[in-house]
Amino acid sequence: MDRIPILKFGNALLVTIQVDMHDQLATALEEDLTSKIVSHNARGVLIDISALDVVDSFIGRMLDNIAAVSRILDADTVVVGMRPAVAITLVELGLSLTGVKTALNVERGMAMIHDRLAGSEADDADDED
Amino acid sequence: MPTTRTERVGIKVSDDVVRVRQITRAFALEVGLSLVDQTKIVTASSELARNTLDYGGGGEVTAEIVEQGGRRGVRLTFDDKGPGIADIEQALKDGFTSGRGMGLGLGGAKRLSNEFSIVSEPGLGTKITIARWK
Ligand SMILES: Nc1ncnc2c1ncn2[C@@H]1O[C@H](COP(=O)(O)OP(=O)(O)O)[C@@H](O)[C@H]1O
Ligand SMILES: [Mg+2]
């Protein structure tokens, strides 16, 4: 079966979704990401959906699940590049994706992950005082 | 209501749901729907195609470009011979699912369309029609 590739960037994982995914492909991505967060010790996950011209409740739930699982595994998920028409449609569909952080593009998403990591390292340093 | 183009797609495996999205997009483009309206009808088509597959045991969709009073639109009719929906009002409620979904497909498809109708007979199947007008 096809798989969506997952790339490693420092301590973050990057997924660029470039195909209109059928449901099994989305489910496989969710499972692959979960195991890679653990095996790569990842602290952040970036999911680039700028190529997606539609996100329905199945893909929406996948994004929500990935965000929830990564939070438990102490990694931040940022969904980047959601098209405006997709965002408008998701709200009308009834999916608010409240648990999902979003950013305009990959650079800003990566910056969000690094900011959080820098913040938590600073906290650790404070604790030692 | 004159129909200027028709296409029928069988919905039997999850790749067919992707095909339904693609054909809906092509028809919406041909009608000249705005980008947001295209996205709405394509999303609705995806929800209903998945229901046809997951709950209806498979079926088909008929996609049409229709004209009425000088307006053009996309109409989609999803048809299956599955178990039917006993309580349509309950099925339309946001959050209701008899499976493992989010329970947003039917209600969402209704909100994302200009027209929405369900005919369902327990034991005989389900027919859902939606339309989006330019
Ligand atoms: N074609 C169908 N045949 C039989 N039951 C259906 C069909 N479509 C929807 N349903 C019923 O309506 C419920 C709600 O559907 P939906 O709003 O799409 O939510 P979900 O797909 O997440 O369950 C389904 O759980 C199912 O019980
Ligand atoms: Mg559904």
Side-chain angles (χ1 to χ4, degrees):
Chain A
M1 192 177 95
D2 290 344
R3 289 292 226 255
I4 307 272
I6 300 172
L7 305 178
K8 192 172 190 305
F9 262 94
N11 46 15
L13 300 175
L14 174 65
V15 180
T16 305
I17 300 173
Q18 274 160 328
V19 293
D20 190 344
M21 292 184 291
H22 59 77
D23 292 359
Q24 282 95 315
L25 194 54
T27 305
L29 174 61
E30 193 179 322
E31 289 165 3
D32 289 350
L33 261 177
T34 305
S35 58
K36 288 214 167 148
I37 291 171
V38 176
S39 64
H40 291 319
N41 235 317
R43 302 298 306 278
V45 177
L46 276 179
I47 306 175
D48 183 355
I49 61 164
S50 58
L52 288 189
D53 57 16
V54 54
V55 172
D56 64 7
S57 68
F58 196 89
I59 303 295
R61 185 178 54 165
M62 174 202 78
L63 296 174
D64 230 359
N65 285 349
I66 291 170
V69 170
S70 71
R71 204 173 304 124
I72 295 170
L73 298 173
D74 197 25
D76 251 8
T77 294
V78 182
V79 171
V80 302
M82 186 185 292
R83 298 184 184 189
V86 168
I88 291 167
T89 301
L90 274 179
V91 170
E92 203 154 334
L93 184 63
L95 251 179
S96 46
L97 294 185
T98 40
V100 178
K101 292 198 184 92
T102 56
L104 230 52
N105 53 41
V106 172
E107 291 72 33
R108 290 208 200 176
M110 203 62 97
M112 274 170 79
I113 287 171
H114 285 143
D115 283 354
R116 191 196 83 134
L117 284 180
S120 66
E121 273 155 25
D123 286 349
D124 291 348
D126 285 349
D127 291 347
E128 281 158 24
D129 287 346
Chain B
M1 204 188 301
T3 299
T4 56
R5 191 176 162 195
T6 306
E7 208 153 324
R8 200 160 275 137
V9 182
I11 304 171
K12 287 176 180 63
V13 293
S14 73
D15 256 336
D16 295 332
V17 177
V18 177
R19 280 187 62 220
V20 171
R21 291 201 284 263
Q22 287 164 351
I23 282 168
T24 305
R25 174 75 64 180
F27 276 41
L29 266 170
E30 190 171 325
V31 163
L33 294 187
S34 71
L35 182 58
V36 170
D37 286 354
Q38 286 172 37
T39 309
K40 288 180 178 179
I41 188 88
V42 173
T43 305
S45 78
S46 186
E47 296 295 341
L48 296 178
R50 180 177 298 106
N51 284 353
T52 299
L53 182 65
D54 289 351
Y55 301 114
E60 62 173 30
V61 62
T62 306
E64 293 166 283
I65 291 180
V66 287
E67 269 179 45
Q68 193 174 42
R71 288 179 88 192
R72 298 218 300 165
V74 180
R75 185 169 63 195
L76 304 168
T77 306
F78 294 83
D79 215 333
D80 68 62
K81 303 275 172 279
I85 304 174
D87 187 341
I88 291 175
E89 205 179 314
Q90 179 188 48
L92 273 165
K93 279 216 179 80
D94 280 353
F96 175 82
T97 179
S98 63
R100 281 168 300 162
M102 302 199 79
L104 293 174
L106 279 183
K110 186 175 182 186
R111 285 189 290 276
L112 293 169
S113 307
N114 296 131
E115 283 170 30
F116 180 93
S117 72
I118 300 188
V119 182
S120 188
E121 210 45 70
L124 293 181
T126 301
K127 185 173 182 156
I128 300 183
T129 305
I130 59 172
R132 184 100 214 172
W133 295 95
K134 162 95 168 132

